[in-house]
C-alpha cells in the first residue's frame, strides 16, 4: 500500500498560507489502515463517519461526536462510513512555527513534555460546531482577508480548547514540539498483542521492512515474524484457558486472516488444537 504524504497531496490549488491550511476531506469508500506520513500537526474535525488511528504505541477510535488533534508522524488511518454514503472530515493543519508562536504568546514557559501521547481527544460541543461553520464560509474565500482571518481562527480554537481543557491541553501542546522519538522496543512491545502486520509495525517505527528486520534481530536475537507469532499464540492460549472466548472470537485479534490458519499455527506450537483448550 503506498504512503500518503499529508497535507502535501491536498496542496494543489491551495498553498499552505503562513503555516495554516484547511481542507475538506470527503470519501465514499471505507479505507482500512492506510499509511499516512503527516508532516504537520492537524486537527481532524470528524463530521460524518468513524475514524481509528494507530500510533507507534497505542491507537484511538472516534466518531462524529469527537474530534482529534494529531501530532505529525507516521500513522495508520482507518476511516469508515456509517449509514450515510459519505465520510466527511474537516482538517485544519498548522506548522510547528505557528504552534511555537502561539505557545510563546499565550502559555507559561514550561519545558516540552517528552512522554505525551500522539493525540488529544476533543469532545464536540456547540462552540466547535459554530467554529466549523465559520471555517466553511472562510474556506470558500481566497482573498487576503481570508488568509488573515485564518490566523485569527487558529488562535481562536486554540484559546477555546485551553479554556475548556486547561492544563491537560497546555501540556499536550508543549509535548508536540518535543523532539523525542518513540524507542524501537517500546513500539514493538506495544503492538505485540495487536493485529498489525510486520510491515505496519515497521512503518510506525519509520523504517523500511528490511531495516526493521535487521534492527529487530539486533535487539531480540530472533526473527520478528516468529517472535511475534509466539507471543500472540501464547496470548491466545492464555485467553482460551480463561474459558470466556472461543477460537473463532479471537483469531482476527491475533493477526490471522482465517480460523484455519490460526488453528494450524496453534497446533504446531502447542501440539493440540485451540478447540481442545479448556
Amino acid at each position: 500500500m503506498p504512503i500518503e504524504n499529508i497535507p502535501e497531496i491536498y496542496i494543489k490549488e491551495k498553498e499552505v498560507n503562513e503555516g495554516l491550511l484547511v481542507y475538506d476531506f470527503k470519501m465514499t469508500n471505507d479505507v482500512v489502515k492506510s499509511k499516512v506520513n503527516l508532516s504537520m500537526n492537524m486537527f481532524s474535525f470528524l463530521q460524518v463517519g468513524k475514524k481509528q488511528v494507530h500510533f507507534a504505541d497505542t491507537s484511538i477510535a472516534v466518531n462524529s461526536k469527537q474530534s482529534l488533534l494529531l501530532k505529525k508522524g507516521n500513522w495508520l488511518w482507518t476511516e469508515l462510513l456509517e449509514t450515510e454514503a459519505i465520510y466527511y472530515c474537516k482538517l485544519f493543519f498548522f506548522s510547528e512555527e505557528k504552534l511555537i508562536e502561539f505557545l510563546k504568546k499565550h502559555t507559561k514557559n514550561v519545558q516540552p513534555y517528552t512522554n505525551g501521547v500522539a493525540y488529544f481527544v476533543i469532545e464536540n460541543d456547540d462552540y466547535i460546531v459554530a467554529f466549523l461553520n465559520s471555517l466553511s464560509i472562510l474556506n470558500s474565500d481566497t482573498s487576503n482577508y481570508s488568509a488573515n482571518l485564518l490566523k485569527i481562527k487558529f488562535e481562536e480554537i486554540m484559546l477555546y480548547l485551553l479554556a475548556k481543557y486547561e492544563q491537560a491541553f497546555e501540556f499536550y501542546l508543549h509535548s508536540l514540539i518535543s523532539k523525542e522519538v518513540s524507542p524501537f522496543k517500546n513500539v514493538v512491545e506495544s503492538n505485540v498483542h495487536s493485529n498489525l502486520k510486520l510491515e505496519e509495525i515497521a512503518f510506525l517505527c519509520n523504517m523500511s521492512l528490511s531495516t526493521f528486520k535487521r534492527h529487530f534481530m539486533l535487539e531480540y536475537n530472533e526473527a520478528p515474524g516468529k517472535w511475534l507469532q509466539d507471543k500472540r499464540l501464547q496470548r491466545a492460549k492464555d485467553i482460551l484457558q480463561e474459558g470466556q472466548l472461543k477460537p473463532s472470537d479471537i483469531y482476527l485479534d491475533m493477526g490471522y486472516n482465517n480460523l484455519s490458519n490460526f488453528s494450524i499455527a496453534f497446533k504446531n506450537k502447542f501440539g493440540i488444537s485451540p478447540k481442545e483448550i479448556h
Side-chain angles (χ1 to χ4, degrees):
M1 188 185 293
I3 296 169
E4 293 185 29
N5 295 303
I6 293 177
E8 287 78 1
I9 60 171
Y10 301 147
I11 304 169
K12 290 170 188 163
E13 304 103 33
K14 308 184 86 168
E15 291 298 314
V16 176
N17 192 313
E18 294 191 42
L20 298 171
L21 173 72
V22 175
Y23 185 82
D24 287 329
F25 179 73
K26 294 178 182 175
M27 182 181 73
T28 53
N29 295 300
D30 290 346
V31 172
V32 177
K33 287 193 284 200
S34 65
K35 293 176 180 172
V36 172
N37 171 246
L38 187 62
S39 65
M40 295 172 78
N41 299 311
M42 181 192 83
F43 284 106
S44 173
F45 294 108
L46 183 55
Q47 298 188 276
V48 182
K50 294 179 181 174
K51 181 174 199 145
Q52 182 178 27
V53 186
H54 286 273
F55 304 98
D57 54 1
T58 186
S59 66
I60 182 69
V62 294
N63 57 27
S64 55
K65 293 179 182 173
Q66 296 171 311
S67 296
L68 286 174
L69 176 48
L70 298 174
K71 183 175 184 172
K72 65 183 182 180
N74 278 9
W75 316 131
L76 299 167
W77 288 11
T78 294
E79 294 169 304
L80 304 174
L81 311 183
E82 290 190 294
T83 51
E84 295 84 352
I86 194 162
Y87 172 98
Y88 177 44
C89 191
K90 191 176 284 293
L91 308 177
F92 192 169
F93 300 92
F94 57 94
S95 67
E96 195 160 287
E97 290 70 28
K98 275 285 160 208
L99 175 60
I100 291 169
E101 189 181 300
F102 175 84
L103 290 172
K104 283 180 178 172
K105 185 175 177 183
H106 293 290
T107 69
K108 301 182 184 76
N109 184 26
V110 298
Q111 291 300 308
Y113 281 70
T114 55
N115 294 323
V117 291
Y119 66 88
F120 192 93
V121 178
I122 297 158
E123 299 297 329
N124 293 342
D125 56 22
D126 291 344
Y127 191 100
I128 288 172
V129 170
F131 174 80
L132 293 176
N133 287 338
S134 69
L135 271 191
S136 296
I137 297 164
L138 193 59
N139 205 24
S140 60
D141 183 1
T142 56
S143 67
N144 286 335
Y145 298 115
S146 174
N148 288 326
L149 264 174
L150 191 56
K151 287 188 253 180
I152 294 168
K153 299 307 287 184
F154 171 67
E155 199 158 337
E156 176 191 342
I157 191 63
M158 291 295 236
L159 284 171
Y160 175 69
L161 293 171
L162 272 178
K164 183 174 181 174
Y165 294 109
E166 299 177 333
Q167 198 175 56
F169 190 67
E170 182 178 347
F171 286 175
Y172 176 74
L173 291 180
H174 278 279
S175 80
L176 289 178
I177 57 173
S178 163
K179 300 301 178 199
E180 184 172 284
V181 177
S182 297
F184 177 83
K185 289 182 81 167
N186 186 36
V187 178
V188 169
E189 288 170 24
S190 296
N191 287 290
V192 169
H193 299 131
S194 75
N195 61 1
L196 297 188
K197 300 184 181 74
L198 273 188
E199 179 193 6
E200 292 165 340
I201 298 173
F203 177 74
L204 294 176
C205 291
N206 289 309
M207 293 178 178
S208 69
L209 184 56
S210 57
T211 302
F212 174 83
K213 286 179 175 177
R214 283 199 303 275
H215 204 94
F216 194 99
M217 287 294 290
L218 288 171
E219 287 279 1
Y220 293 96
N221 295 314
E222 194 173 354
K226 182 174 187 315
W227 186 90
L228 268 178
Q229 183 186 56
D230 285 349
K231 294 283 186 188
R232 288 171 177 176
L233 288 172
Q234 185 58 54
R235 172 76 177 143
K237 185 181 180 188
D238 293 344
I239 290 170
L240 292 173
Q241 283 176 332
E242 289 169 8
Q244 303 296 312
L245 297 172
K246 303 192 294 290
S248 57
D249 297 324
I250 66 169
Y251 72 89
L252 280 173
D253 290 337
M254 298 300 141
Y256 289 87
N257 292 330
N258 59 62
L259 182 56
S260 175
N261 286 347
F262 169 68
S263 297
I264 290 166
F266 192 97
K267 188 164 186 176
N268 285 342
K269 179 165 176 62
F270 298 113
I272 56 172
S273 78
K275 286 181 183 176
E276 296 174 72
I277 294 289
H278 299 295

